[in-house]
Amino acid sequence: MSGIAGYMGHRDARKVLLDALARLEYRGYDSSGISVISDGELKLFRSLGRPADLAEKLRGKAISGDVGIGHTRWASHGSPSIRNAHPQVAHSIAVVHNGIIDDAVAIKESLVAGGERFKSQTDTEILPHLININWKGSLIESVLSALGHVGGGLTFCVICSRDPGQLVAVCKGNPMVIGFGHGEYLAASDATAVAPYTDMIVHLRDGEVALLTREGAQFMDFSGGRIDHAPQKISWNPVMAEKRGYRHFLLKEIVESPRAVRDTVAGCFPQKSERLLVENFNFPCRGLEKIKKVIYAGSGSSYIAANLGQWICESVAGVPSGRLIASEHSFARRIIEPNTLFVAVSQSGETLDTLESVRLARKNGARVLGITNNPSSSLARLSHDVFLIKAGPEISVASTKTFSALVAAMALLAVHIGRARKTTTPEDQQKLLDALLALPGQMEMMVTYEPRLRQLAERLAQSKSFFFIGRGLHYPATMYAALMMKEVANIHAEGLVGGEMKHGTISLVEKGTPVMYFANHETFMSEALNDMDELRARGASLIAAGSSAFPEAAAHCDEFISADPAPDPLAPVLAIVPAQLFIYYMGLYNKKDVDRPRNVAKSVTV
């Protein structure tokens, strides 16, 4: 989950690398560092904390050099410390690495027995030692030779003062992009880092190596065989990844959620019109006529979106469906079989557990549909079919606009499955498409509650625990809100089904216990009102996000956030917008770094 950057060109490498690391900070931020070849020597600078701390440490230092590498770390081997920060250096070779090396302890013991001396607790330090032992006169030849002696997650960049005209980038297990500028070349974990310098990139595939020199970029496999890659244009511009006047990326991306949903839905309708007509609907997934069941899989917030996908599929398309926490895929071999549609959900497309579940699904004969925000991701390459949400870059660690866009994608998929299986009528399909067309405007109305939600957050900011409660399709939405509250505000939270609340959890409710109830149902409204009455009878401080079709709900809670009526499959999207804004301000009033929650990274690749 760490962030990697590399630069070869005519600019000041230090400035380029520090800028890139700031853009990659969402991938890890317990320590950071850069290494630059300056006056023929390898210079190393590392710091605990965020890239801004490293930049401050380097302020005023005279460092000239136009080739270098940088790293922002999310600890997997060794506690956060200067000695465990990257780059890791040995024998004038510097490496920045993302991944976990197989059999690292045994390899390290072998190297120590051979006379090598280690300074860190990291597995990464193995790499410069191996490259040195396998030195062949040039950096690229030495790296290729060393790769034959090590396995596991091997995405890294390496430079060496003995061969200062080369920068080598290796991809295995985690993403690596190469940027093509004018007389300069960049490497990074994410296109966000290279976007200010070029809009032409190559996404390396697993088992590929890039050699960057001042003359150009060459690509090869691990055996040195040449590979041709044509650079692709980034589909979004770097301005989209800027705050644009917002105090935090998190707030900006919550406000952008309606646009993300609107663009995602519009992508299924090549013929533009004022109405989303079912006859113009085009979803990129084939061969569903013989599908007997659908399995949805994901991790973190994407798993919660997969939950919603399962519920929407069953309620809209009427097809038996299941869900799978991707990290538990080894326990689900029997439910994945031929004539299964396996829907893998990952905003980054690089989540390791989700990719492993896809490999299992393919092995067992399932058809795989990948739903992601990254068209060049590993998930996109592994899947039979790919649906791309159109959220644009999401920089804050907490998933907001990508989550809403994923849920919209689930509704579109349910319409497609129902059409392919003939389990829904054209009239019902059109009704849901009409609701999807209206949804972004309804979300924008929810954003207007921001001042009121800020006041509520200020009043409840000192709460030690929080409950989110709902029924039906709102249960996954409560799980999402609880996860976001834990991430952003570092407050314990639970998401609960309203009907299950009385089976134990209600014993924790007392005077002042804060609860947010999602009550904008077409169904379950009478049950929801009973749940709210039971909570208030025990003294709960109750906020409800409810449908304007049921104004009587306001009398059953302390604070009522009114949402436009929406069909049950889409109502959770309206409920989570005020929850997101409320949680954002809960984090601010608790003095948390809302964009970079502690111990959490955006893309979980280990």
Side-chain angles (χ1 to χ4, degrees):
M1 291 185 284
S2 304
I4 289 174
Y7 180 77
M8 169 73 71
H10 52 79
R11 302 178 197 254
D12 182 341
R14 172 180 61 169
K15 292 181 179 179
V16 175
L17 293 170
L18 289 174
D19 177 53
L21 294 183
R23 297 172 186 277
L24 290 170
E25 187 179 8
Y26 67 91
R27 299 184 67 91
Y29 40 85
D30 59 49
S31 60
S32 57
I34 65 170
S35 185
V36 176
I37 297 177
S38 177
D39 298 326
E41 294 183 6
L42 193 68
K43 302 291 180 67
L44 175 65
F45 305 93
R46 298 181 294 190
S47 175
L48 283 177
R50 301 169 58 167
D53 299 313
L54 176 65
E56 183 62 30
K57 186 175 182 178
L58 293 176
R59 188 185 302 275
K61 290 186 180 292
I63 308 166
S64 61
D66 54 13
V67 57
I69 55 177
H71 191 269
T72 181
R73 182 175 184 256
W74 186 88
S76 58
H77 279 71
S79 60
S81 66
I82 296 294
R83 67 171 180 155
N84 290 331
H86 295 210
Q88 287 292 313
V89 175
H91 305 288
S92 72
I93 299 166
V95 175
V96 291
H97 169 229
N98 190 4
I100 297 176
I101 295 174
D102 288 346
D103 300 320
V105 173
I107 296 172
K108 191 171 184 177
E109 289 175 350
S110 175
L111 289 168
V112 170
E116 297 297 312
R117 295 292 176 263
F118 284 76
K119 299 177 181 178
S120 77
Q121 300 169 313
T122 69
D123 58 343
T124 299
E125 196 181 353
I126 289 169
L127 295 172
H129 288 283
L130 278 179
I131 294 167
N132 179 66
I133 289 172
N134 290 274
W135 190 259
K136 305 297 180 184
S138 74
L139 182 58
I140 182 61
E141 291 177 7
S142 308
V143 169
L144 292 174
S145 179
L147 287 172
H149 302 277
V150 66
L154 293 171
T155 295
F156 64 92
C157 282
V158 54
I159 57 174
C160 177
S161 59
R162 282 178 271 168
D163 192 357
Q166 294 190 352
L167 188 158
V168 177
V170 177
C171 180
K172 185 184 177 188
N174 292 301
M176 177 71 77
V177 302
I178 305 299
F180 289 68
H182 297 291
E184 59 186 349
Y185 300 88
L186 303 98
S189 302
D190 192 306
T192 306
V194 306
Y197 306 96
T198 178
D199 61 356
M200 301 302 295
I201 62 172
V202 162
H203 284 265
L204 294 186
R205 294 186 288 262
D206 260 19
E208 293 186 348
V209 179
L211 169 62
L212 308 183
T213 69
R214 290 173 179 80
E215 287 70 45
Q218 300 175 36
F219 303 98
M220 60 202 75
D221 58 29
F222 279 14
S223 64
R226 293 299 178 90
I227 297 170
D228 291 327
H229 272 305
Q232 299 176 327
K233 190 177 182 67
I234 297 174
S235 59
W236 47 269
N237 65 63
V239 173
M240 293 177 68
E242 301 295 344
K243 291 181 183 177
R244 291 191 294 173
Y246 288 93
R247 184 177 176 186
H248 298 97
F249 281 111
L250 181 56
L251 179 59
K252 170 180 174 284
E253 288 158 4
I254 294 170
V255 174
E256 288 178 341
S257 295
R259 192 271 310 157
V261 169
R262 184 178 288 113
D263 290 353
T264 296
V265 173
C268 288
F269 294 86
Q271 298 180 18
K272 307 303 179 185
S273 64
E274 292 185 2
R275 192 180 184 196
L276 306 179
L277 298 174
V278 68
E279 54 264 32
N280 295 335
F281 177 51
N282 180 28
F283 193 95
C285 185
R286 299 157 291 148
L288 301 189
E289 294 78 11
K290 297 181 180 180
I291 291 297
K292 293 182 179 179
K293 64 181 176 182
V294 184
I295 302 295
Y296 292 81
S299 300
S301 60
S302 292
Y303 168 68
I304 298 171
N307 269 256
L308 273 164
Q310 182 213 357
W311 290 43
I312 294 171
C313 180
E314 290 187 334
S315 64
V316 172
V319 177
S321 304
R323 60 183 182 269
L324 173 66
I325 299 175
S327 59
E328 302 288 304
H329 64 270
S330 296
F331 297 102
R333 295 178 185 275
R334 292 186 179 180
I335 67 171
I336 303 172
E337 56 190 358
N339 295 326
T340 296
L341 176 65
F342 190 85
V343 183
V345 186
S346 171
Q347 54 185 299
S348 70
E350 301 293 349
T351 303
L352 183 62
D353 290 326
T354 304
L355 297 177
E356 289 300 317
S357 73
V358 167
R359 293 184 179 98
L360 174 66
R362 291 191 62 127
K363 182 179 179 181
N364 288 9
R367 184 169 193 87
V368 176
L369 168 66
I371 301 181
T372 180
N373 196 37
N374 184 352
S376 301
S377 63
S378 300
L379 177 60
R381 295 192 294 272
L382 278 173
S383 302
H384 295 103
D385 301 294
V386 181
F387 181 81
L388 298 174
I389 63 172
K390 303 293 177 62
E394 186 174 71
I395 305 303
S396 182
V397 168
S399 172
T400 51
K401 63 177 179 176
T402 54
F403 183 82
S404 296
L406 286 173
V407 178
M410 299 301 169
L412 292 164
L413 174 59
V415 173
H416 180 56
I417 293 172
R419 180 175 61 177
R421 293 288 310 282
K422 295 182 171 56
T423 53
T424 55
T425 66
E427 292 77 17
D428 286 340
Q429 295 166 29
Q430 187 62 61
K431 180 181 177 182
L432 189 54
L433 293 178
D434 289 342
L436 277 167
L437 179 63
L439 184 62
Q442 295 172 324
M443 294 171 69
E444 288 167 349
M445 289 299 298
M446 302 306 292
V447 172
T448 65
Y449 283 105
E450 180 193 350
R452 186 172 169 194
L453 292 161
R454 182 173 64 245
Q455 293 172 353
L456 289 172
E458 184 177 16
R459 176 163 61 85
L460 296 171
Q462 300 309 308
S463 302
K464 302 301 181 184
S465 188
F466 209 97
F467 292 110
F468 295 91
I469 301 176
R471 285 182 178 252
L473 274 81
H474 283 81
Y475 171 49
T478 70
M479 294 167 59
Y480 165 82
L483 175 62
M484 186 177 175
M485 180 70 86
K486 286 179 276 194
E487 281 184 331
V488 172
N490 299 155
I491 294 173
H492 170 263
E494 289 188 52
L496 299 169
V497 174
E500 291 298 298
M501 171 191 67
K502 64 195 72 174
H503 295 286
T505 304
I506 201 166
S507 65
L508 299 176
V509 178
E510 57 189 12
K511 183 174 177 59
T513 299
V515 178
M516 181 174 282
Y517 200 105
F518 297 155
N520 48 339
H521 301 275
E522 281 190 328
T523 56
F524 288 123
M525 270 309 297
S526 62
E527 293 88 345
L529 297 180
N530 288 337
D531 292 341
M532 289 192 284
D533 287 341
E534 290 173 358
L535 288 163
R536 291 187 78 199
R538 287 156 179 82
S541 179
L542 186 62
I543 305 166
S547 171
S548 60
F550 299 95
E552 64 271 22
H556 297 258
C557 59
D558 299 299
E559 299 285 347
F560 185 66
I561 308 297
S562 178
D564 287 342
D568 280 350
L570 303 182
V573 179
L574 294 181
I576 64 174
V577 174
Q580 289 170 340
L581 289 166
F582 174 73
I583 293 166
Y584 166 73
Y585 283 109
M586 288 287 283
L588 284 190
Y589 285 122
N590 278 283
K591 297 180 171 55
K592 303 301 180 181
D593 186 341
V594 295
D595 280 339
R596 305 287 181 269
R598 67 185 181 192
N599 299 334
V600 186
K602 185 71 171 174
S603 179
V604 183
T605 56
V606 294

